[in-house]
Amino acid sequence: MSSTELPSAPPATVLPRVAAVKVAEGERLRSVHLPGITLTVRSRRPAREGLPPALYVHGLGGSSQNWSALMPLLDDVVDSEAVDLPGFGDSPPPDDGDYSVSGHARAVVRHLDASGRGPVHLFGNSLGGAVATRVAAVRPDLVRTLTLVSPALPEIRVQRSAVPTGLLALPGVVSLFTRLTREWTAEQRVRGVTALCYGDPAKVSPEGFRNAVEEMERRLQLPYFWDAMVRSARGIVNAYTVGGQYGLWRQAERVLAPTLLVYGGRDQLVGYRMAQRAARAFRDSRLLTLPDAGHVAMMEYPGTVATAFRELLADTGESAVDESTAGAVDDEPADQTTGG
């Protein structure tokens, strides 16, 4: 049994009230209490009963809100939930302080086991892509399909623009960085994140930028903000160095679920050149490359990603879409920003 697998999980305790983060129209937030962790889960009411479940996992520094542009475009094909990983969004830190890729994967597994929603259509971006890959490899019973947007899979030659994020994992770097950036405003920080993560930062609407600044101000007040960032960044770096059966590329080869891979040509955190290697590693994969997208294609081009996911469902016989609602969806500017 993998360290990510759990033999069993008790029923979740669900509390309906969470109000610290922005909730888009049609969304609902709730707290789910599980052994050792409390997760905030963002959900939408599906277009009709009986649709298959989907779960979305965000990247480093992000939250479930990073999926708010994509989820409503899929209301007629899946029953959507997005999770705030421990220490991110509105989820408190895990009791054991484990922010490794395996630790985050265990949190996803615990949620799925306790909720009984599996198997799900599992989505992951960046760190969430590495987490989703590990879940799909060790618990294939929980995953129907896998959709990975710029997944954080090991690269031999990391892009220069991604180096500062990796440096967060080194001892002393965060304390130095916080001293050097003490005078930075939340707005300056958000502009930096947006420039790093978007192929075209102009795609963030004024309202979305204001919301991101408010969220940044809130997060900077959390006593565990930098700890969650540093330990999760360290978890990614450590996962890059693990070999054997627990290596992420080896686990990618073990994934049985049909997989949609989405890569952006202007991604400054995950190399565009990794798209072809990923397409070879995942045995049943489809590749969508977006030359103008950055690191968060589901926020920049949600309609294009939604259409590609619908095609995945159709190709794998999972589609239950009415012909009147199927087809491409126009992209709108995304209203959130995210970390890597």
Side-chain angles (χ1 to χ4, degrees):
M1 177 179 291
S2 163
S3 61
T4 308
E5 292 183 271
L6 295 177
S8 62
T13 301
V14 179
L15 299 179
R17 182 183 172 277
V18 180
V21 294
K22 180 177 172 57
V23 184
E25 183 178 354
E27 293 181 345
R28 171 178 175 264
L29 296 184
R30 70 184 190 279
S31 292
V32 177
H33 290 244
L34 297 163
I37 54 172
T38 297
L39 300 176
T40 297
V41 178
R42 183 182 302 262
S43 60
R44 294 185 56 84
R45 184 184 298 277
R48 61 185 183 278
E49 295 297 324
L51 291 178
L55 185 69
Y56 305 76
V57 186
H58 63 80
L60 179 66
S63 75
S64 58
Q65 189 181 349
N66 297 152
W67 300 99
S68 290
L70 177 63
M71 288 197 296
L73 304 184
L74 300 175
D75 280 347
D76 62 321
V77 289
V78 293
D79 182 353
S80 292
E81 283 190 351
V83 64
D84 285 340
L85 291 173
F88 294 95
D90 204 47
S91 292
D95 289 354
D96 61 5
D98 186 355
Y99 288 102
S100 67
V101 171
S102 289
H104 286 311
R106 277 194 292 272
V108 171
V109 168
R110 285 176 181 173
H111 172 57
L112 290 175
D113 276 343
S115 67
R117 296 185 83 239
V120 299
H121 296 289
L122 186 60
F123 292 71
N125 169 232
S126 193
L127 165 63
V131 169
T133 297
R134 184 150 290 173
V135 171
V138 302
R139 289 294 303 272
D141 58 304
L142 293 178
V143 182
R144 292 172 183 256
T145 67
L146 186 62
T147 298
L148 304 177
V149 181
S150 296
L153 299 175
E155 299 183 48
I156 296 176
R157 292 187 300 108
V158 178
Q159 297 182 101
R160 288 184 181 179
S161 51
V163 169
T165 301
L167 289 177
L168 286 176
L170 298 180
V173 169
V174 169
S175 58
L176 174 61
F177 179 76
T178 52
R179 287 199 301 271
L180 293 175
T181 63
R182 185 177 293 114
E183 304 302 321
W184 288 15
T185 65
E187 180 175 334
Q188 288 174 312
R189 295 175 190 272
V190 169
R191 290 195 186 281
V193 171
T194 302
L196 182 64
C197 292
Y198 277 71
D200 179 7
K203 278 189 156 301
V204 181
S205 70
E207 179 184 3
F209 185 81
R210 289 193 300 272
N211 291 336
V213 170
E214 292 176 4
E215 176 66 4
M216 178 64 73
E217 291 172 342
R218 183 187 75 85
R219 291 192 190 188
L220 289 171
Q221 299 303 312
L222 297 174
Y224 54 83
F225 172 80
W226 283 113
D227 188 55
M229 288 286 291
V230 169
R231 290 175 182 265
S232 293
R234 189 172 299 151
I236 296 174
V237 172
N238 289 342
Y240 275 31
T241 63
V242 172
Q245 64 176 326
Y246 297 112
L248 284 169
W249 283 115
R250 180 70 62 84
Q251 291 190 318
E253 294 170 354
R254 291 169 52 193
V255 171
L256 301 176
T259 301
L260 170 63
L261 300 164
V262 183
Y263 281 82
R266 296 183 179 179
D267 194 332
Q268 300 181 65
L269 292 168
V270 170
Y272 190 59
R273 64 183 181 277
M274 302 305 293
Q276 292 299 329
R277 179 176 181 181
R280 292 191 298 269
F282 290 90
R283 65 181 69 187
D284 184 4
S285 67
R286 295 143 185 82
L287 176 61
L288 171 64
T289 56
L290 301 173
D292 294 327
H295 191 59
V296 287
M298 75 287 187
M299 300 167 71
E300 291 184 89
Y301 298 96
T304 304
V305 175
T307 297
F309 176 70
R310 289 170 180 272
E311 293 171 352
L312 172 68
L313 294 185
D315 290 346
T316 57
E318 290 273 358
S319 180
V321 190
D322 292 335
E323 290 185 4
S324 60
T325 58
V329 182
D330 291 335
D331 281 315
E332 296 292 339
D335 281 348
Q336 302 88 28
T337 59
T338 182

